[in-house]
C-alpha cells in the first residue's frame, strides 16, 4: 500500500511527459506559415496569369503574415512549372497558379503529362475567370450569332476562325461552337493574338473568340463587331452583347480561368487558411477594381466546390479534343 502513491506519481509524470508530444503537431500546424510561400506561375511574366497573381498575392500575404514570392517557370504550355509544384512537399509552402491550359486542356491534349491534375494536386480555389467575346471583322455580313452561323455555311470551304495557337482556349472554344451548331468553321492558328486580330480587321479571317480586354478596344473603335458573349451571362464591360445561350445555343459557357493549387495531400486546415486569405484578398475594395480592369472576374470558389467544378471542366474539354481530333503541335 505505501507504494501506491509513488506509482500514481510516476504514472502522472508519464502523462505529463507525453502531453507535449500529443500537442506538438497541433501547435506546429497552428504556427503555419512561419516562412515565405512560393507561388509558381507556369507562364511567362506579363501574361494574364502572371499579372493576376502579382495583384492578389501581396494582399494574401497580409492575411497570412508572410510574403508570397511569385516565381515564373514558363515552359511547355504550363507543364514544367505545374509539375514542379506537384512534386513538392504538401506543406503549404509551394503553390501553383494554374489556368485552363495547364490544369484542364492539357489533361486531354497531352498524352503523357508528368502529373495527373486530379490525383497530384489539391485544388484550393477558382480564383478568377477571364471572359471572352466572339468577334468578327466588318467584312462579315452578320449582326448576331445566328446570322453568322448561317453565313459560314455559304462560304466555300467554310469561314475561317483564328486562335492564339493550336490547343489554346480560343481554339477549343471555336471547336465547341462548331460541334454545338454545325457551323462551317476552319481553324487558323496564329503564334500570337495581335497578329490574329490584325488579320481579322484586314478581312483575311472571319472570326475569333478571345478575352474581352484584348478585343474590347477594337470593338469600341468600330474595327471589330462583337456578336456574342461566350460566358453564360452578360459581362459588365459589354452589357449590350447577348450571350451565346441567349442566341439559341445552350448550354454554352466558355471562359479562360485561373486557379490556385497545392501538391496533393495538403492538410485541410492549411488548405482552408490559404483559401480564407485568398477570399479576403478578392473581396478587398481596392483590389477588385484592379482585377476587373484587367478583364478578370474575381471568384474565390471554395475547395469543396472547386474540385467537382474542375472535374467537369476537364471532361468538357476532353470531349471537344477527342471529337475534333485535336493534336498537340
Amino acid at each position: 500500500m505505501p507504494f501506491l502513491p509513488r506509482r500514481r506519481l510516476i504514472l502522472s509524470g508519464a502523462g505529463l511527459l507525453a502531453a507535449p508530444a500529443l500537442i506538438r503537431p497541433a501547435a506546429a500546424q497552428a504556427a503555419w506559415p512561419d516562412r515565405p510561400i512560393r507561388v509558381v506561375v507556369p507562364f511567362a511574366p506579363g501574361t494574364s496569369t502572371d499579372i493576376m497573381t502579382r495583384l492578389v498575392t501581396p494582399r494574401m500575404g497580409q492575411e497570412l503574415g508572410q510574403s508570397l514570392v511569385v516565381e515564373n517557370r514558363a515552359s511547355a504550355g504550363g507543364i514544367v512549372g505545374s509539375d514542379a509544384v506537384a512534386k513538392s512537399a504538401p506543406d503549404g509552402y509551394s503553390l501553383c497558379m494554374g489556368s485552363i491550359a495547364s490544369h484542364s486542356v492539357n489533361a486531354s491534349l497531352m498524352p503523357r503529362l508528368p502529373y495527373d491534375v486530379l490525383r497530384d494536386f489539391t485544388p484550393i480555389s477558382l480564383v478568377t475567370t477571364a471572359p471572352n467575346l466572339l468577334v468578327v471583322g466588318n467584312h462579315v455580313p452578320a449582326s448576331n450569332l445566328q446570322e453568322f452561323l448561317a453565313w459560314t455555311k455559304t462560304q466555300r470551304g467554310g469561314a475561317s476562325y483564328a486562335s492564339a495557337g493550336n490547343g489554346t482556349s480560343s481554339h477549343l472554344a471555336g471547336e465547341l461552337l462548331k460541334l454545338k451548331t454545325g457551323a462551317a468553321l476552319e481553324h487558323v492558328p496564329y503564334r500570337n493574338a495581335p497578329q490574329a486580330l490584325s488579320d481579322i480587321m484586314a478581312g483575311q479571317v472571319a472570326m475569333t473568340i478571345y478575352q474581352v480586354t484584348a478585343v474590347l478596344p477594337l470593338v469600341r473603335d468600330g474595327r471589330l463587331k462583337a456578336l456574342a458573349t461566350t460566358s453564360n451571362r452578360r459581362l459588365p464591360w459589354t452589357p449590350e452583347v447577348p450571350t451565346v445561350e441567349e442566341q439559341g445555343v445552350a448550354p454554352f459557357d466558355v471562359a479562360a480561368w485561373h486557379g490556385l493549387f497545392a501538391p496533393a495531400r495538403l492538410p485541410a486546415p492549411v488548405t482552408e487558411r490559404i483559401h480564407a486569405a485568398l477570399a479576403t484578398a478578392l473581396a478587398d475594395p481596392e483590389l477588385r477594381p484592379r482585377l476587373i480592369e484587367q478583364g478578370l472576374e474575381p471568384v474565390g470558389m471554395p475547395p469543396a466546390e472547386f474540385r467537382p467544378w474542375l472535374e467537369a471542366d476537364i471532361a468538357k474539354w476532353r470531349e471537344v479534343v477527342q471529337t475534333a481530333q485535336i493534336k498537340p503541335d
Side-chain angles (χ1 to χ4, degrees):
M1 293 299 295
F3 293 99
L4 286 177
R6 177 175 173 78
R7 189 170 179 229
R8 289 192 187 117
L9 182 61
I10 292 171
L11 289 174
S12 299
L16 289 171
L17 289 172
L22 291 173
I23 65 171
R24 189 176 296 117
Q29 194 173 72
W32 184 93
D34 62 5
R35 64 180 188 270
I37 299 165
R38 177 182 68 149
V39 182
V40 172
V41 172
F43 303 102
T47 58
S48 61
T49 309
D50 177 69
I51 292 170
M52 183 275 296
T53 304
R54 292 179 187 278
L55 286 173
V56 170
T57 49
R59 186 66 182 86
M60 289 181 64
Q62 292 176 14
E63 291 299 307
L64 294 172
Q66 289 288 341
S67 298
L68 274 69
V69 181
V70 178
E71 176 184 326
N72 294 91
R73 298 192 65 174
S75 185
I79 294 174
V80 171
S82 300
D83 187 47
V85 173
K87 291 178 170 56
S88 298
D91 55 12
Y93 292 102
S94 290
L95 306 176
C96 177
M97 190 65 79
S99 73
I100 185 175
S102 63
H103 283 72
S104 187
V105 172
N106 281 350
S108 304
L109 191 62
M110 304 296 181
R112 291 186 180 87
L113 274 183
Y115 53 83
D116 182 292
V117 171
L118 297 174
R119 182 194 65 208
D120 297 331
F121 289 94
T122 297
I124 297 174
S125 181
L126 177 65
V127 182
T128 60
T129 59
N132 300 322
L133 291 177
L134 187 157
V135 295
V136 299
N138 288 321
H139 65 287
V140 176
S143 58
N144 59 56
L145 179 61
Q146 290 300 335
E147 289 179 1
F148 172 71
L149 296 176
W151 176 79
T152 66
K153 298 175 182 179
T154 69
Q155 302 304 294
R156 186 173 182 177
S160 55
Y161 80 93
S163 79
N166 189 54
T168 60
S169 59
S170 54
H171 176 199
L172 269 64
E175 290 301 317
L176 181 62
L177 182 68
K178 184 176 176 180
L179 292 172
K180 291 276 188 182
T181 65
L185 293 170
E186 186 67 28
H187 178 226
V188 181
Y190 281 78
R191 289 187 178 274
N192 58 70
Q195 184 59 54
L197 295 173
S198 177
D199 281 1
I200 294 172
M201 289 185 288
Q204 298 177 31
V205 183
M207 182 272 285
T208 193
I209 296 173
Y210 205 64
Q211 293 178 19
V212 61
T213 47
V215 299
L216 187 55
L218 303 175
V219 171
R220 288 177 172 165
D221 287 348
R223 289 182 282 175
L224 291 175
K225 293 187 289 186
L227 301 187
T229 297
T230 63
S231 301
N232 59 6
R233 65 185 187 281
R234 297 196 185 197
L235 304 179
W237 304 274
T238 54
E240 75 283 0
V241 180
T243 67
V244 171
E245 291 188 347
E246 287 179 298
Q247 298 182 73
V249 183
F252 199 95
D253 185 11
V254 174
W257 56 264
H258 308 102
L260 189 61
F261 297 84
R265 298 177 297 280
L266 184 69
V270 177
T271 302
E272 292 298 335
R273 188 157 180 213
I274 294 171
H275 175 261
L278 173 65
T280 299
L282 294 178
D284 188 291
E286 293 184 4
L287 178 59
R288 285 184 69 86
R290 297 177 66 191
L291 292 171
I292 292 170
E293 286 173 5
Q294 297 294 328
L296 302 171
E297 292 189 301
V299 181
M301 183 182 290
E305 295 179 23
F306 186 31
R307 176 174 283 278
W309 184 94
L310 180 64
E311 290 173 350
D313 199 63
I314 291 172
K316 175 172 69 177
W317 295 122
R318 180 176 291 121
E319 180 181 3
V320 173
V321 167
Q322 292 176 349
T323 304
Q325 299 182 337
I326 300 171
K327 304 295 181 184
D329 288 334

